[in-house]
Amino acid sequence: MAAEAPMQAQVRAPHVDETITELRKLYGDRVSTAHAVREQHGKDISYHKAHLPDAVVFAESAEEVQKIVELCARHKTPIIAYGTGTSLEGHISAPNGGISLDVSRMNKVLAVNEADLDVVVQPGVTRKQLNEYIRDTGLFFPIDPGADASIGGMTSTRASGTNAVRYGTMRENVLALQVVTADGRLMRLGRRSRKSSAGYDLVKLFIGSEGTLGVITEITLRLYGIPESMAAATCAFESLEGAVNAVIQTIQSGIPVARIELMDTETVATVNNYSKLSLPSKNLLLLEFHGTEAGTKEQAEMVQAIAGENGGGDFAWTGQAEERTRMWQARHDAAWAAKAARPGWGMWATDVCVPISRLAECILETQKDVQKNGLYAPIVGHVGDGNFHLTMMVNPGDPTYLPRAEALNDRLVARALELGGTCTGEHGVGLGKIKFLYEEHGEAVSLMRSIKKALDPDNIMNPGKIIGPGN
Ligand SMILES: Cc1cc2nc3c(=O)[nH]c(=O)nc-3n(C[C@H](O)[C@H](O)[C@H](O)COP(=O)(O)OP(=O)(O)OC[C@H]3O[C@@H](n4cnc5c(N)ncnc54)[C@H](O)[C@@H]3O)c2cc1C
């Protein structure tokens, strides 16, 4: 294990030279075979071995995406769609070589429908860019993975974040899509209406498909009114168990918290250092309440009472909006904080999700497991959803470290599945979680395989991901 994920021997896709020559004729300088550009497009921050694409093409419109897909389909050249490259399970790696199709220049907000609370965007728009764009409308888009990811990438990984406990994940917030299928057809899936019973739900099929079924060229998203009152606080607990039980009881009581995030003591220490904060060195819940003045006050009082019964201290309220933003940015930077705490080590961020009633069991067993095996893996989580992450840091100087981390990850997933949960709540499958898919879904994996084969018979769309090699 190197400090960074090692590069794999390069596999070149058959006929890729013809593909690149034709792409160059059409798009000139917007096609790159430079090593640095290919490396940026084939290598994420994870421990997964990186395979570089043979070339990168920067598309600027849906029509260009369609032409590029048609051309690649003719040569059976693999296509790996690329948004901002922040995915964590080897999603953008190119094990069969091929073309990385970068849509980051397709970054226009196409229509804001204030009256209907929805927005239409190109796939390269990032979540922060979108919220900046609509700020004056009094609306906002809540889904917030730690990175400033693209909406196309977030749709394709079925991403979520700290607000999902109140506003749902990408699954609940994408109304419609425009996509280019593997045979080069441009089509619309879904409508702007909030409900539809018209036929198979192809929108949901594409959400979380990780670029294996087609390329998303437009997304219609739900928006929400910025609440009249927003209040954020932290609550410290001596025991991890107390903190998690407070979360479980809050959710079971139906209190509509907007955010309820956990940081264990290890995470708090790294975040204090990295983000120059002085959070108490305890297990911490980070909370946010949205609603009217009276509503947020009432919610906060109810959660404070539950926290108190579970050993939590008094809420420490953040002050102005800037202080609140700083706290949430620190939470979003928790993975970087763990990396900074172990300079030169590799990072492996893994996540699982379990039904809320089993969360304490899953987190406490996992913490014991980390400690027993002498690993460094701070715990952080969108715990209101039953979702938590281990940011496993891997010591490149110790050859036993990576196998021990791998075994920890295997046990973590086995535990989550045993408790009725999933091998990934939000990061997705990519290359890293393929081996758990059958265990989680059983025979349903063969149905996934049939869908992939029907929609992409030549296996050119991000081959090797989700269902593994071949289709
Ligand atoms: C510090 C940090 C914190 C993170 N925190 C979270 C978190 O809290 N929650 C969470 O869910 N994730 C989190 N992530 C993971 C990551 O941000 C998400 O997976 C995000 O959705 C990826 O978006 P992207 O634009 O970077 O996609 P990329 O990495 O570029 O692509 C991801 C996948 O989507 C496919 N894809 C991209 N664009 C398209 C398109 N237009 N059409 C079809 N397929 C496409 C790619 O082929 C690939 O398979 C975090 C990552 C980092 C680095």
Side-chain angles (χ1 to χ4, degrees):
M1 168 82 194
E4 299 209 320
M7 217 76 75
Q8 277 296 87
Q10 185 57 32
V11 175
R12 280 180 78 74
H15 310 297
V16 74
D17 292 328
E18 291 98 305
T19 306
I20 294 172
T21 305
E22 287 187 43
L23 283 174
R24 280 224 164 94
K25 271 189 207 145
L26 290 168
Y27 306 114
D29 285 354
R30 286 197 275 131
V31 180
S32 177
T33 50
H35 184 82
V37 178
R38 289 165 47 230
E39 184 170 296
Q40 187 215 338
H41 285 78
K43 189 171 183 307
D44 60 23
I45 62 161
S46 76
Y47 84 104
H48 296 295
K49 293 195 170 85
H51 307 258
L52 306 193
D54 295 300
V56 178
V57 56
F58 294 85
E60 293 184 350
S61 69
E63 291 67 31
E64 284 189 2
V65 171
Q66 189 180 16
K67 270 211 179 100
I68 293 164
V69 172
E70 269 171 1
L71 199 158
C72 288
R74 199 158 20 88
H75 293 297
K76 299 194 179 13
T77 303
I79 301 162
I80 304 100
Y82 181 97
T84 60
T86 64
S87 45
L88 295 168
E89 291 286 358
H91 294 73
I92 55 165
S93 180
N96 300 9
I99 305 295
S100 173
L101 174 44
D102 184 322
V103 296
S104 62
R105 296 184 189 180
M106 293 170 64
N107 61 358
K108 290 191 187 63
V109 176
L110 299 172
V112 182
N113 302 305
E114 289 180 47
D116 293 319
L117 286 86
D118 70 51
V119 65
V120 185
V121 299
Q122 289 187 313
V125 170
T126 69
R127 67 173 182 88
K128 286 188 181 172
Q129 181 197 343
L130 173 58
N131 275 319
E132 190 60 33
Y133 188 92
I134 59 178
R135 205 168 44 167
D136 295 340
T137 64
L139 301 173
F140 79 113
F141 176 66
I143 315 299
D144 63 336
D148 188 19
S150 72
I151 301 295
M154 288 167 59
T155 305
S156 301
T157 56
R158 210 186 290 131
S160 54
T162 63
N163 284 305
V165 64
R166 171 77 173 259
Y167 298 96
T169 69
M170 288 306 278
R171 182 172 65 182
E172 287 77 33
N173 285 288
V174 174
L175 291 169
L177 295 172
Q178 183 192 61
V179 300
V180 174
T181 53
D183 55 3
R185 281 178 296 165
L186 182 68
M187 60 180 77
R188 292 197 174 276
L189 314 177
R191 310 285 294 174
R192 284 206 299 121
S193 58
R194 289 292 158 122
K195 287 164 56 172
S196 166
S197 297
Y200 297 138
D201 193 339
L202 299 177
V203 176
K204 294 274 192 294
L205 178 63
F206 268 74
I207 301 171
S209 64
E210 301 184 4
T212 62
L213 301 180
V215 182
I216 296 168
T217 49
E218 211 175 278
I219 305 113
T220 305
L221 299 167
R222 294 178 66 161
L223 297 176
Y224 298 82
I226 296 174
E228 171 194 315
S229 165
M230 290 166 114
T234 57
C235 182
F237 293 75
E238 290 298 337
S239 83
L240 188 59
E241 186 173 12
V244 180
N245 281 333
V247 174
I248 295 172
Q249 288 164 26
T250 298
I251 299 301
Q252 288 172 337
S253 308
I255 304 166
V257 281
R259 290 165 149 172
I260 184 161
E261 295 281 312
L262 172 76
M263 289 183 182
D264 71 348
T265 49
E266 204 84 74
T267 302
V268 172
T270 63
V271 162
N272 275 341
N273 258 336
Y274 185 80
S275 300
K276 309 281 172 279
L277 295 178
S278 47
L279 299 167
S281 307
K282 297 195 172 166
N283 299 287
L284 218 56
L285 291 183
L286 279 60
L287 298 138
E288 192 165 282
F289 305 97
H290 292 178
T292 58
E293 291 282 351
T296 52
K297 187 165 173 284
E298 188 190 21
Q299 289 173 41
E301 282 169 3
M302 288 193 287
V303 179
Q304 173 73 84
I306 292 173
E309 282 161 19
N310 287 283
D314 288 343
F315 284 3
W317 293 97
T318 58
Q320 298 305 305
E322 295 75 42
E323 200 187 326
R324 201 173 62 227
T325 305
R326 200 162 154 240
M327 178 180 95
W328 290 117
Q329 189 56 52
R331 162 63 191 90
H332 282 136
D333 288 340
W336 301 123
K339 190 159 171 57
R342 291 290 183 276
W345 288 30
M347 177 165 54
W348 179 353
T350 186
D351 86 306
V352 294
C353 187
V354 294
I356 194 77
S357 67
R358 314 307 296 273
L359 184 64
E361 209 174 330
C362 197
I363 291 189
L364 295 174
E365 282 301 308
T366 303
Q367 191 190 46
K368 270 192 222 147
D369 198 349
V370 172
Q371 287 165 352
K372 190 173 141 205
N373 288 286
L375 294 160
Y376 181 70
I379 296 175
V380 68
H382 311 307
V383 276
D385 299 321
N387 182 206
F388 71 97
H389 305 227
L390 286 188
T391 312
M392 301 192 287
M393 299 305 300
V394 181
N395 180 358
D398 175 352
T400 72
Y401 211 102
L402 181 61
R404 284 190 287 132
E406 265 164 351
L408 173 70
N409 188 44
D410 288 356
R411 286 191 299 274
L412 170 68
V413 170
R415 193 173 300 126
L417 294 180
E418 176 66 28
L419 295 172
T422 172
C423 67
T424 170
E426 57 179 21
H427 290 169
V429 178
L431 293 171
K433 295 268 167 92
I434 291 174
K435 68 175 179 173
F436 306 114
L437 216 59
Y438 187 80
E439 208 179 322
E440 177 162 338
H441 294 295
E443 190 50 25
V445 175
S446 70
L447 204 56
M448 293 187 195
R449 219 175 269 290
S450 306
I451 292 170
K452 168 76 171 161
K453 206 168 185 108
L455 269 62
D456 181 19
D458 290 323
N459 194 23
I460 59 166
M461 287 292 171
N462 206 1
K465 310 297 164 58
I466 302 187
I467 55 168
N471 66 352

